[in-house]
Amino acid sequence: DGGITQSPKYLFRKEGQNVTLSCEQNLNHDAMYWYRQDPGQGLRLIYYSQIVNDFQKGDIAEGYSVSREKKESFPLTVTSAQKNPTAFYLCASSVKTSGGANEQFFGPGTRLTVL
Amino acid sequence: AQSVTQLGSHVSVSEGALVLLRCNYSSSVPPYLFWYVQYPNQGLQLLLKYTTGATLVKGINGFEAEFKKSETSFHLTKPSAHMSDAAEYFCAVRTTGNTPLVFGKGTRLSVIA
């Protein structure tokens, strides 16, 4: 089955610790995205990557870092500099076309709780 | 810059009643528009999208949406609500290329028996 895998589903960390969220896709998509979801705030873009070894900051990149060494993988690290990291994190991917009609496919999400 | 406004953070309907979820967008060029649904603690699933052509778009689970350029709207409707429709719904917009979708803040739909 093709799709996007995020692991773990639930993650607990102590304040001040860095933590890495995994995102893997086997859809052969070029573009991948990370969003943060908080109640009542919708989805806010953290980082995105349109090609291997390249990525761009989104609206709320401070306190986060990413890498894109492989087409299939786009891990997100939540650093200790992120002031309020407790949230639901969603990874997405899409094909790369010249137009804008291609939808984004989403993974099941990781709920991060910082204690 | 693109933006999306979803009117009403929470909508409640009776089972069997019409569902209407409102979405207005702001874009300086013709947009591509999307509706997604999210069930609790899950990812988002595409309901339908408008690209070009027919302005009335039919999606999964009996939902449809109409693109109205003059009103800059893309409201989501379903003639008869079912209990299983209870979820959060997100409207999103993109204008070109592989730029990320821009999402509204979402509308939570409750269905009352």
Side-chain angles (χ1 to χ4, degrees), chain A residues 9 37 96 100 102-104, chain B residues 36 38 41 49 94 98:
Chain A
K9 179 72 173 175
Q37 185 177 17
K96 183 178 180 180
N102 41 301
E103 65 264 33
Q104 290 177 190
Chain B
Y36 283 84
Q38 183 184 35
N41 291 312
K49 66 179 181 181
R94 181 202 278 127
N98 283 297

Side-chain angles (χ1 to χ4, degrees), chain B residues 37-77:
Chain B
V37 61
Q38 183 184 35
Y39 298 100
N41 291 312
Q42 296 186 24
L44 276 67
Q45 178 184 7
L46 182 70
L47 276 177
L48 50 81
K49 66 179 181 181
Y50 168 77
T51 55
T52 58
T55 56
L56 181 62
V57 181
K58 295 187 183 298
I60 62 172
N61 301 340
F63 284 94
E64 62 183 35
E66 186 171 12
F67 171 60
K68 292 187 176 181
K69 183 178 178 181
S70 61
E71 299 177 7
T72 61
S73 69
F74 191 56
H75 302 330
L76 182 71
T77 61

Side-chain angles (χ1 to χ4, degrees), chain A residues 21-98:
Chain A
L21 282 59
S22 169
C23 178
E24 304 277 334
Q25 55 98 0
N26 60 5
L27 300 168
N28 199 33
H29 286 172
D30 291 293
M32 297 187 73
Y33 314 84
W34 274 106
Y35 291 89
R36 170 178 172 145
Q37 185 177 17
D38 297 282
Q41 298 202 44
L43 277 70
R44 293 183 290 168
L45 183 67
I46 305 173
Y47 270 97
Y48 67 103
S49 168
Q50 296 180 330
I51 196 169
V52 174
N53 292 323
D54 188 42
F55 47 83
Q56 289 76 42
K57 293 182 179 180
D59 301 318
I60 57 166
E62 185 175 352
Y64 299 96
S65 66
V66 293
S67 63
R68 187 84 188 278
E69 297 177 359
K70 298 187 299 182
K71 187 176 183 178
E72 303 79 19
S73 178
F74 192 40
L76 173 74
T77 297
V78 184
T79 75
S80 57
Q82 168 52 233
K83 298 304 180 188
N84 185 19
T86 294
F88 191 52
Y89 291 87
L90 287 161
C91 179
S93 69
S94 66
V95 298
K96 183 178 180 180
T97 64
S98 57

